[in-house]
């Protein structure tokens, strides 16, 4: 029996304000709250809220047989809480149905999995805690920022206790293999990998409103027929996209919401079900291992990291940012830690790309680079005030070990106190 795994990704970066050289050392607030709020409100009204309403209706009309999954970055959740709390409430209503899975990811939708393993672990744990608090269940599946994945990243994810990870379909990885099966990590069998079917996903995201497309206008009945016609053994159809496909990339007048609501109707007629990523990996055996020695993503035709690391500007910014990670991890200054988290957001580096067609808020990659580096210069000065660069890395490592051991000792003592309290009762 075929199962469609619908997964939606939601992330909006915080807008950086115009930050000039002469602001360095004087202005420690880097964000354009007006632009951030305007963007969040716009996307919420046109996409997130009506799409959530449609999915809630689909769940109810199917008696709970329609299932799907979401990955919402911590940065997006923070902005919803500040500017559009009704979006959080609509997701909580979906969570109550038990038909929706919320996935873990790095909190700020960062590139930490590539540049700093410790930071990646911190952000994933922070995001998992946020998801648990808001939606009542700890994530067991992970979707890395921009579907970035490699064997090494998979090892980190497995060590964190996750059993399922989502990756993209890349020719240099898949070869002749179909994305419509469950796979596993190259050496860790317990970490199951689900592979996005990029054609069927992009048919909705990017071609649905294209009047030059041979299949325009796409009907839900036609779409489900394509899935039903796939070989019987190809039982896992992973259709994943940015949630903005509903209402932004494809406006409401295009019929995209009616298309979405019609999918379960025609799928159930064909004996096709819907399942979440964790449900898929629990009920399907792996078809084999996938070997990914170098990081891949879902961006561009080459499916690599070029969109974020492809030129000298991006590499300079990333290297300078992550060079201070050890010092930042020693800090307790909450505003500084918050800025550290936000400044890792992947879009800021993508804006610096010469070749990527990604929407750019700046006039040019150089404009994006200069603005970011001015902000970063001020941030680095603030870090240096707390932990000067004269401190050698070896000294920093010893400090980190001491702090870690103290934290573990405090945690153990708290557990012992709790046990004694229970015994006393």
């Amino acid at each position: 029996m075929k199962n469609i795994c619908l997964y939606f990704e939601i992330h909006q970066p915080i807008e950086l304000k115009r930050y000039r050289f002469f602001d360095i050392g004087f202005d420690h607030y880097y964000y354009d709250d007006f632009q951030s709020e305007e963007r969040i409100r716009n996307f919420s009204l046109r996409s997130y809220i009506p799409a959530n309403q449609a999915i809630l209706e689909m769940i109810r009309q199917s008696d709970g047989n329609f299932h799907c999954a979401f990955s919402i970055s911590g940065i997006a959740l923070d902005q919803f809480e500040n500017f559009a709390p009704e979006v959080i409430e609509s997701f909580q209503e979906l969570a109550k149905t038990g038909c929706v899975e919320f996935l873990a990811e790095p909190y700020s939708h960062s590139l930490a999995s590539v540049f700093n393993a410790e930071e990646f672990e911190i952000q994933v744990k922070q995001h998992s805690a946020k998801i648990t608090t808001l939606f009542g269940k700890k994530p067991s599946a992970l979707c890395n920022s921009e579907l970035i994945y490699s064997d090494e990243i998979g090892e980190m994810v497995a060590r964190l206790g996750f059993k399922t990870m989502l990756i993209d379909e890349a020719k240099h990885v898949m070869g002749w293999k179909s994305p419509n099966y469950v796979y596993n990590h190259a050496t860790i069998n317990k970490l199951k990998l689900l592979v996005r079917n990029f054609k069927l996903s992009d048919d909705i995201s990017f071609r649905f409103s294209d009047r030059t497309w041979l299949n325009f206008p796409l009907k839900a009945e036609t779409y489900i027929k394509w899935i039903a016609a796939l070989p019987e053994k190809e039982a896992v159809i992973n259709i994943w996209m940015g949630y903005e496909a509903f209402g932004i990339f494809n406006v409401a007048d295009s019929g995209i919401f009616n298309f979405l609501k019609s999918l379960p109707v025609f799928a159930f007629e064909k004996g096709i079900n819907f399942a979440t990523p964790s449900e898929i990996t629990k009920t399907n055996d792996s078809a084999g291992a996938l070997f990914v020695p170098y990081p891949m993503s879902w961006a561009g035709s080459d499916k690599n990291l070029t969109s974020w690391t492809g030129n000298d500007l991006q590499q300079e910014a990333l290297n300078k940012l992550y060079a201070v990670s050890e010092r930042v991890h020693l800090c307790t200054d909450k505003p500084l830690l918050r800025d550290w988290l936000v400044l890792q957001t992947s879009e800021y580096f993508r804006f610096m790309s010469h070749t990527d067609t990604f929407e750019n808020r700046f006039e040019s990659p150089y404009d994006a680079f200069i603005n970011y580096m001015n902000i970063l210069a001020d941030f680095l000065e603030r870090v240096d005030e707390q932990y000067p660069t004269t401190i050698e890395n070896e000294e920093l490592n010893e400090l980190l070990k001491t702090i870690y051991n103290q934290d573990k000792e405090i945690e153990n003592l708290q557990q012992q106190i709790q046990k004694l309290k229970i015994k006393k009762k």
Side-chain angles (χ1 to χ4, degrees), residues 205-251:
S205 289
F206 304 117
R207 289 184 280 273
F208 184 86
S209 297
D210 183 359
R211 292 180 176 275
T212 66
W213 186 34
L214 291 175
N215 293 296
F216 180 88
L218 180 61
K219 303 295 183 183
E221 183 178 12
T222 303
Y223 190 79
I224 293 299
K225 282 182 179 178
W226 293 345
I227 294 174
L230 292 169
E232 187 177 346
K233 290 183 179 180
E234 297 187 15
V236 179
I237 317 300
N238 298 307
I239 301 169
W240 308 335
M241 65 201 74
Y243 210 27
E244 298 80 20
F246 305 97
I248 303 295
F249 301 157
N250 304 290
V251 298

Side-chain angles (χ1 to χ4, degrees), residues 182-196:
V182 174
Y183 294 94
N184 60 266
H185 181 272
T187 58
I188 305 172
N189 294 338
K190 67 180 181 180
L191 180 64
K192 300 290 183 63
L193 303 176
L194 294 180
V195 185
R196 173 179 177 261

